[in-house]
Amino acid sequence: MTRRRKLHPEEMDLWKQVTRSTEPLPDKLKSHPAPTVDPAMSRPSERKDAPLQSFDLGEKVSRTETHVFPRTTADRLHNAPVRMDSKAYQRLKRGKLKPDARIDLHGMTLDQAHPTLNRFIMGAQAKGHRLVLVITGKGAPQDPYDPAPRRRGVLKQQVPLWMTMAPLSSAILQVSEAHLKHGGSGAYYVYLRRGR
């Protein structure tokens, strides 16, 4: 058992200053209200549920969607308007067009990948390329023990966002996920505008 030490005179003076500068709580705040019981948490025998509506077996039930899941990058790209020639776009989606150049950002950090991507895209447009392939990788597999769910592939998420910002947005006409033979969801087709 430890003995409580006595306060020094300086500590006592400090405590007296604190107590002089405080005001007591009003009486209405001192008394705590009785806790309310949530009806959902009460026992089943105490709850008064609404009576069940009549139904027929096999009848369809109208349900409202209660969850709104954030759209993935693939969803955003898939729903983006087609700004290039529609026939060329269909060939692109089927993997029939061969990229003029490619870059592999897989394994780079964000700080390394961003300027590298800028140089590559602007250089490809200056050379007259129309279709380039940007490989980002799919990202590390999700950790089943991670307490917070995360989307895989930081570069996979970030690269399409960079392409919507200057200076790349002025050089790019269309971005879409690559066909399986060119990397699938771990790569992007980037269709460039004609150089000026």
Side-chain angles (χ1 to χ4, degrees):
M1 182 171 144
T2 59
R3 287 179 33 181
R4 294 175 65 180
R5 73 173 183 87
K6 294 190 176 189
L7 294 176
H8 294 286
E10 308 89 47
E11 294 172 325
M12 285 298 291
D13 290 339
L14 180 64
W15 180 248
K16 286 178 184 176
Q17 287 176 3
V18 170
T19 56
R20 273 182 278 172
S21 66
T22 59
E23 295 178 13
L25 286 172
D27 288 338
K28 63 182 178 181
L29 291 178
K30 287 182 184 176
S31 63
H32 298 290
T36 57
V37 178
D38 183 12
M41 300 300 287
S42 62
R43 284 176 279 190
S45 61
E46 296 174 358
R47 276 189 283 166
K48 297 198 169 46
D49 291 330
L52 289 176
Q53 296 177 353
S54 63
F55 66 94
D56 294 326
L57 286 176
E59 177 181 37
K60 290 197 176 202
V61 177
S62 61
R63 295 184 185 192
T64 57
E65 188 63 43
T66 57
H67 300 288
V68 178
F69 295 104
R71 294 187 335 165
T72 63
T73 304
D75 293 338
R76 284 195 307 273
L77 292 176
H78 182 70
N79 294 328
V82 177
R83 290 180 284 182
M84 58 186 283
D85 178 58
S86 61
K87 286 184 181 178
Y89 181 72
Q90 292 304 322
R91 292 186 65 217
L92 174 81
K93 293 299 285 178
R94 290 194 304 262
K96 301 291 184 190
L97 295 180
K98 184 180 177 194
D100 299 321
R102 68 179 60 220
I103 186 170
D104 191 351
L105 303 175
H106 189 238
M108 291 186 187
T109 64
L110 292 175
D111 291 337
Q112 295 167 333
H114 195 184
T116 304
L117 179 68
N118 287 351
R119 279 192 304 274
F120 173 73
I121 296 290
M122 300 311 281
Q125 186 188 31
K127 291 176 187 172
H129 295 321
R130 291 306 305 271
L131 178 64
V132 295
L133 183 68
V134 177
I135 302 167
T136 60
K138 295 178 183 176
Q142 192 169 0
D143 181 5
Y145 301 107
D146 194 354
R150 296 188 184 138
R151 287 192 175 163
R152 292 172 43 178
V154 175
L155 280 176
K156 179 176 170 41
Q157 305 298 321
Q158 196 63 39
V159 164
L161 295 177
W162 290 337
M163 292 184 193
T164 62
M165 300 185 304
L168 297 183
S169 60
S170 63
I172 295 172
L173 189 62
Q174 189 81 43
V175 178
S176 67
E177 277 194 354
H179 188 268
L180 281 174
K181 73 179 185 179
H182 290 130
S185 63
Y188 295 107
Y189 289 131
V190 181
Y191 200 78
L192 303 174
R193 297 179 191 274
R194 291 192 191 279
R196 296 183 181 112

